[in-house]
mmCIF file of all heavy atoms in Angstrom:
data_model
loop_
_atom_site.group_PDB
_atom_site.id
_atom_site.type_symbol
_atom_site.label_atom_id
_atom_site.label_comp_id
_atom_site.label_asym_id
_atom_site.label_seq_id
_atom_site.Cartn_x
_atom_site.Cartn_y
_atom_site.Cartn_z
ATOM 1 N N THR A 106 110.311 106.924 106.224
ATOM 2 C CA THR A 106 111.388 107.700 105.612
ATOM 3 C C THR A 106 112.723 107.017 105.868
ATOM 4 O O THR A 106 112.830 106.143 106.742
ATOM 5 C CB THR A 106 111.426 109.129 106.179
ATOM 6 O OG1 THR A 106 111.584 109.070 107.607
ATOM 7 C CG2 THR A 106 110.143 109.872 105.847
ATOM 8 N N THR A 107 113.733 107.408 105.110
ATOM 9 C CA THR A 107 115.048 106.774 105.243
ATOM 10 C C THR A 107 116.118 107.828 105.519
ATOM 11 O O THR A 107 115.983 108.990 105.156
ATOM 12 C CB THR A 107 115.423 106.001 103.974
ATOM 13 O OG1 THR A 107 115.498 106.911 102.860
ATOM 14 C CG2 THR A 107 114.404 104.918 103.674
ATOM 15 N N THR A 108 117.193 107.367 106.169
ATOM 16 C CA THR A 108 118.380 108.201 106.375
ATOM 17 C C THR A 108 119.603 107.413 105.929
ATOM 18 O O THR A 108 119.611 106.177 105.992
ATOM 19 C CB THR A 108 118.560 108.597 107.850
ATOM 20 O OG1 THR A 108 118.702 107.405 108.653
ATOM 21 C CG2 THR A 108 117.371 109.398 108.350
ATOM 22 N N GLY A 109 120.646 108.132 105.482
ATOM 23 C CA GLY A 109 121.879 107.474 105.067
ATOM 24 C C GLY A 109 121.857 107.074 103.605
ATOM 25 O O GLY A 109 120.909 107.365 102.865
ATOM 26 N N ASP A 110 122.931 106.397 103.200
ATOM 27 C CA ASP A 110 123.088 105.953 101.815
ATOM 28 C C ASP A 110 123.492 104.487 101.790
ATOM 29 O O ASP A 110 124.270 104.026 102.636
ATOM 30 C CB ASP A 110 124.165 106.776 101.092
ATOM 31 C CG ASP A 110 123.797 108.247 101.000
ATOM 32 O OD1 ASP A 110 122.796 108.557 100.346
ATOM 33 O OD2 ASP A 110 124.504 109.074 101.611
ATOM 34 N N ILE A 111 122.981 103.765 100.811
ATOM 35 C CA ILE A 111 123.355 102.351 100.673
ATOM 36 C C ILE A 111 124.788 102.246 100.164
ATOM 37 O O ILE A 111 125.371 103.227 99.682
ATOM 38 C CB ILE A 111 122.388 101.624 99.724
ATOM 39 C CG1 ILE A 111 122.462 102.212 98.302
ATOM 40 C CG2 ILE A 111 120.971 101.679 100.251
ATOM 41 C CD1 ILE A 111 121.680 101.426 97.272
ATOM 42 N N ALA A 112 125.350 101.039 100.250
ATOM 43 C CA ALA A 112 126.710 100.802 99.768
ATOM 44 C C ALA A 112 126.755 100.952 98.241
ATOM 45 O O ALA A 112 125.752 100.699 97.561
ATOM 46 C CB ALA A 112 127.170 99.404 100.184
ATOM 47 N N PRO A 113 127.885 101.370 97.690
ATOM 48 C CA PRO A 113 128.003 101.517 96.231
ATOM 49 C C PRO A 113 127.723 100.202 95.508
ATOM 50 O O PRO A 113 128.003 99.116 96.028
ATOM 51 C CB PRO A 113 129.466 101.947 96.050
ATOM 52 C CG PRO A 113 129.860 102.542 97.368
ATOM 53 C CD PRO A 113 129.118 101.753 98.393
ATOM 54 N N GLY A 114 127.153 100.319 94.314
ATOM 55 C CA GLY A 114 126.923 99.134 93.491
ATOM 56 C C GLY A 114 125.537 98.544 93.604
ATOM 57 O O GLY A 114 125.203 97.593 92.892
ATOM 58 N N GLY A 115 124.692 99.092 94.482
ATOM 59 C CA GLY A 115 123.340 98.571 94.638
ATOM 60 C C GLY A 115 122.299 99.563 94.148
ATOM 61 O O GLY A 115 122.587 100.731 93.890
ATOM 62 N N LEU A 116 121.080 99.069 94.006
ATOM 63 C CA LEU A 116 119.957 99.901 93.585
ATOM 64 C C LEU A 116 118.913 99.890 94.700
ATOM 65 O O LEU A 116 118.408 98.837 95.078
ATOM 66 C CB LEU A 116 119.350 99.368 92.289
ATOM 67 C CG LEU A 116 118.181 100.178 91.695
ATOM 68 C CD1 LEU A 116 118.663 101.548 91.249
ATOM 69 C CD2 LEU A 116 117.564 99.434 90.508
ATOM 70 N N PHE A 117 118.609 101.077 95.241
ATOM 71 C CA PHE A 117 117.668 101.197 96.354
ATOM 72 C C PHE A 117 116.240 101.129 95.832
ATOM 73 O O PHE A 117 115.867 101.854 94.918
ATOM 74 C CB PHE A 117 117.913 102.517 97.086
ATOM 75 C CG PHE A 117 116.930 102.800 98.182
ATOM 76 C CD1 PHE A 117 116.881 102.012 99.317
ATOM 77 C CD2 PHE A 117 116.048 103.863 98.081
ATOM 78 C CE1 PHE A 117 115.969 102.273 100.331
ATOM 79 C CE2 PHE A 117 115.137 104.140 99.088
ATOM 80 C CZ PHE A 117 115.106 103.337 100.215
ATOM 81 N N ASP A 118 115.431 100.265 96.428
ATOM 82 C CA ASP A 118 114.048 100.078 95.993
ATOM 83 C C ASP A 118 113.136 100.110 97.218
ATOM 84 O O ASP A 118 113.069 99.141 97.974
ATOM 85 C CB ASP A 118 113.919 98.729 95.256
ATOM 86 C CG ASP A 118 112.473 98.415 94.879
ATOM 87 O OD1 ASP A 118 111.667 99.362 94.788
ATOM 88 O OD2 ASP A 118 112.160 97.222 94.682
ATOM 89 N N GLN A 119 112.442 101.242 97.419
ATOM 90 C CA GLN A 119 111.500 101.351 98.533
ATOM 91 C C GLN A 119 110.112 101.019 98.024
ATOM 92 O O GLN A 119 109.554 101.707 97.194
ATOM 93 C CB GLN A 119 111.523 102.756 99.138
ATOM 94 C CG GLN A 119 110.593 102.880 100.352
ATOM 95 C CD GLN A 119 110.785 104.155 101.143
ATOM 96 O OE1 GLN A 119 111.760 104.873 100.939
ATOM 97 N NE2 GLN A 119 109.862 104.445 102.044
ATOM 98 N N GLN A 120 109.547 99.937 98.533
ATOM 99 C CA GLN A 120 108.253 99.459 98.066
ATOM 100 C C GLN A 120 107.081 99.939 98.920
ATOM 101 O O GLN A 120 105.935 99.862 98.504
ATOM 102 C CB GLN A 120 108.264 97.927 98.023
ATOM 103 C CG GLN A 120 109.309 97.366 97.072
ATOM 104 C CD GLN A 120 109.164 95.868 96.888
ATOM 105 O OE1 GLN A 120 108.182 95.275 97.286
ATOM 106 N NE2 GLN A 120 110.163 95.254 96.269
ATOM 107 N N LEU A 121 107.377 100.410 100.124
ATOM 108 C CA LEU A 121 106.311 100.838 101.040
ATOM 109 C C LEU A 121 106.656 102.228 101.558
ATOM 110 O O LEU A 121 107.679 102.409 102.210
ATOM 111 C CB LEU A 121 106.203 99.850 102.211
ATOM 112 C CG LEU A 121 104.840 99.659 102.885
ATOM 113 C CD1 LEU A 121 103.834 99.081 101.899
ATOM 114 C CD2 LEU A 121 104.977 98.762 104.109
ATOM 115 N N VAL A 122 105.809 103.214 101.256
ATOM 116 C CA VAL A 122 106.073 104.584 101.719
ATOM 117 C C VAL A 122 105.288 104.919 102.986
ATOM 118 O O VAL A 122 105.572 105.897 103.655
ATOM 119 C CB VAL A 122 105.772 105.623 100.617
ATOM 120 C CG1 VAL A 122 106.722 105.439 99.444
ATOM 121 C CG2 VAL A 122 104.329 105.523 100.146
ATOM 122 N N THR A 123 104.284 104.104 103.310
ATOM 123 C CA THR A 123 103.565 104.236 104.573
ATOM 124 C C THR A 123 103.357 102.836 105.147
ATOM 125 O O THR A 123 103.372 101.847 104.409
ATOM 126 C CB THR A 123 102.184 104.922 104.414
ATOM 127 O OG1 THR A 123 101.343 104.113 103.587
ATOM 128 C CG2 THR A 123 102.321 106.315 103.804
ATOM 129 N N VAL A 124 103.152 102.769 106.449
ATOM 130 C CA VAL A 124 102.911 101.482 107.090
ATOM 131 C C VAL A 124 101.775 101.642 108.102
ATOM 132 O O VAL A 124 101.652 102.676 108.768
ATOM 133 C CB VAL A 124 104.195 100.963 107.778
ATOM 134 C CG1 VAL A 124 104.623 101.884 108.904
ATOM 135 C CG2 VAL A 124 104.021 99.542 108.279
ATOM 136 N N ALA A 125 100.925 100.614 108.193
ATOM 137 C CA ALA A 125 99.796 100.646 109.126
ATOM 138 C C ALA A 125 100.260 100.286 110.529
ATOM 139 O O ALA A 125 100.940 99.281 110.742
ATOM 140 C CB ALA A 125 98.715 99.671 108.663
ATOM 141 N N VAL A 126 99.883 101.144 111.499
ATOM 142 C CA VAL A 126 100.230 100.895 112.896
ATOM 143 C C VAL A 126 99.020 101.143 113.776
ATOM 144 O O VAL A 126 98.067 101.809 113.378
ATOM 145 C CB VAL A 126 101.395 101.809 113.357
ATOM 146 C CG1 VAL A 126 102.648 101.549 112.555
ATOM 147 C CG2 VAL A 126 100.998 103.288 113.281
ATOM 148 N N GLU A 127 99.078 100.594 114.984
ATOM 149 C CA GLU A 127 98.055 100.874 115.994
ATOM 150 C C GLU A 127 98.708 101.721 117.075
ATOM 151 O O GLU A 127 99.776 101.369 117.590
ATOM 152 C CB GLU A 127 97.504 99.581 116.590
ATOM 153 C CG GLU A 127 96.322 99.822 117.528
ATOM 154 C CD GLU A 127 95.773 98.539 118.106
ATOM 155 O OE1 GLU A 127 96.537 97.830 118.788
ATOM 156 O OE2 GLU A 127 94.576 98.259 117.896
ATOM 157 N N THR A 128 98.068 102.835 117.399
ATOM 158 C CA THR A 128 98.672 103.749 118.358
ATOM 159 C C THR A 128 97.588 104.539 119.081
ATOM 160 O O THR A 128 96.427 104.516 118.686
ATOM 161 C CB THR A 128 99.638 104.710 117.626
ATOM 162 O OG1 THR A 128 100.348 105.502 118.571
ATOM 163 C CG2 THR A 128 98.892 105.609 116.654
#
Side-chain angles (χ1 to χ4, degrees):
T106 57
T107 62
T108 60
D110 297 296
I111 63 172
L116 182 66
F117 175 66
D118 175 22
Q119 183 169 348
Q120 299 189 12
L121 209 63
V122 295
T123 63
V124 64
V126 298
E127 187 180 60
T128 187

